Amino acid sequence: MPIFSAPDGTRLACHIRGEGEPLVVLPGGPMRASAYLGNLGGLDAHRQLVLLDLRGTGRSEIPADPATYRCDRLVEDLEALRRHLGLERLDVLAHSAGGSLAMLYAARWPDRLGRLALVTATPWALGLPATAEDRLAAARLREPEPWFTDAFPAFEAWLAGAGDFDPVFLPFFYGRWDDAARAHADREEDETNDDAGDLYGADGAYDPDATRTALARVTTPVLVLAGEVDGGPRPSLARHVAEVFPAGEFAVQPGAGHYPWLDDPEWFVRRVAAFFSGFPGRG
């Protein structure tokens, strides 16, 4: 488990899985330890995964200044990792909230970015949050499933601010609500630094107009991968993200939710590995 120092001295950890050319992986949450990513469905058979524990999560230190949890401040940690790895350019895969961190890094240091995959990435950095309507529209796609009747009213109430978070609607975040999904969901609370997550998108974290302008100059290939039944982002929102990048490509994984490597590992690995290998993909 490599340990390196951020510019402010905070000690950060990353976890290495597999061998070969490094692929840096940014977790979501926001501020969930990278353990939930596992080996991304077997992607470590194609690339060496370098899974970063963001400051205050997993094996990384809690910083002296909580303000450094803000997404735009975390960009410095990613650059410190690039220097630690001795790489001229980083290939990056970012999941969910980690997508905004990756986009801010690309906007600031486009010449230090190789290929970028944004996997079910929440595009807060572009001023494009997933709305309650988005999430409910995706949820209605699950109506034939046996848990839907109990889950949908609680989900609707939570999104309207009329109810608390209820584990009964966790199936909406997964394409398949099976034992693997249940075990994955059960770990979330223990793996997430909620206080840090509250500061991730604090005032000043994002400047959508400036970020869009900067990303329009990013010529590196970018894959934006959405899950067919994911509500945050829905495929239509993810497509807008792909259009921001001059060399953006868009793919939808059939039947997948917010964690597509769990829903169909073979499809996910085939599509993502092909992208990072420079082969054209479909979807």
Side-chain angles (χ1 to χ4, degrees):
M1 182 183 66
I3 301 290
F4 64 101
S5 291
D8 66 353
T10 303
R11 301 283 283 170
L12 304 176
C14 53
H15 305 266
I16 306 298
R17 295 180 181 270
E19 299 180 353
E21 189 175 354
L23 171 61
V24 171
V25 182
L26 303 179
M31 305 306 285
R32 184 173 179 180
S34 65
Y36 82 95
L37 296 159
N39 67 352
L40 288 172
L43 189 60
D44 60 340
H46 300 266
R47 295 289 295 263
Q48 181 185 76
L49 305 183
V50 181
L51 299 115
L52 176 62
D53 280 341
L54 300 177
R55 54 180 54 215
T57 72
R59 303 298 295 273
S60 291
E61 284 185 341
I62 294 173
D65 181 4
T68 60
Y69 287 132
R70 208 172 72 175
C71 186
D72 60 321
R73 303 281 295 275
L74 295 173
V75 170
E76 298 281 355
D77 293 352
L78 183 53
E79 173 61 6
L81 176 57
R82 183 194 66 81
R83 293 194 301 268
H84 173 76
L85 295 173
L87 297 173
E88 182 178 351
R89 290 174 174 263
L90 288 179
D91 281 350
V92 177
L93 183 152
H95 174 244
S96 191
S100 284
L101 173 55
M103 284 186 269
L104 293 185
Y105 183 86
R108 183 167 177 182
W109 286 302
D111 59 329
R112 299 174 190 176
L113 182 70
R115 288 175 172 258
L116 170 62
L118 299 171
V119 175
T120 59
T122 313
W124 295 324
L126 299 175
L128 296 172
T131 66
E133 291 76 14
D134 287 336
R135 294 186 181 278
L136 290 173
R140 291 187 182 97
L141 299 175
R142 316 298 295 279
E143 188 170 1
E145 305 201 39
W147 44 263
F148 179 89
T149 301
D150 292 332
F152 188 81
F155 193 47
E156 190 173 31
W158 176 65
L159 290 171
D164 295 329
F165 186 92
D166 190 332
V168 73
F169 55 68
L170 283 172
F172 288 124
F173 295 92
Y174 296 85
R176 297 188 306 179
W177 188 237
D178 55 13
D179 288 343
R182 291 184 184 90
H184 189 264
D186 286 345
R187 297 197 305 269
E188 182 173 7
E189 184 174 356
D190 291 337
E191 292 175 343
T192 303
N193 182 336
D194 289 326
D195 291 337
D198 289 341
L199 295 171
Y200 188 84
D203 288 347
Y206 307 124
D207 184 342
D209 289 340
T211 299
R212 283 174 176 272
T213 299
L215 294 181
R217 298 191 292 266
V218 173
T219 57
T220 188
V222 177
L223 170 66
V224 179
L225 190 152
E228 182 182 21
V229 298
D230 188 20
R234 294 193 74 197
S236 57
L237 180 57
R239 184 183 292 276
H240 288 315
V241 177
E243 292 169 351
V244 169
F245 296 92
E249 58 183 273
F250 173 65
V252 178
Q253 181 169 327
H258 199 59
Y259 306 94
W261 62 92
L262 292 177
D263 297 321
D264 187 342
E266 291 185 7
W267 194 102
F268 177 82
V269 170
R270 183 172 64 250
R271 184 64 178 87
V272 174
F275 169 73
F276 281 109
S277 296
F279 294 111
R282 296 180 179 177

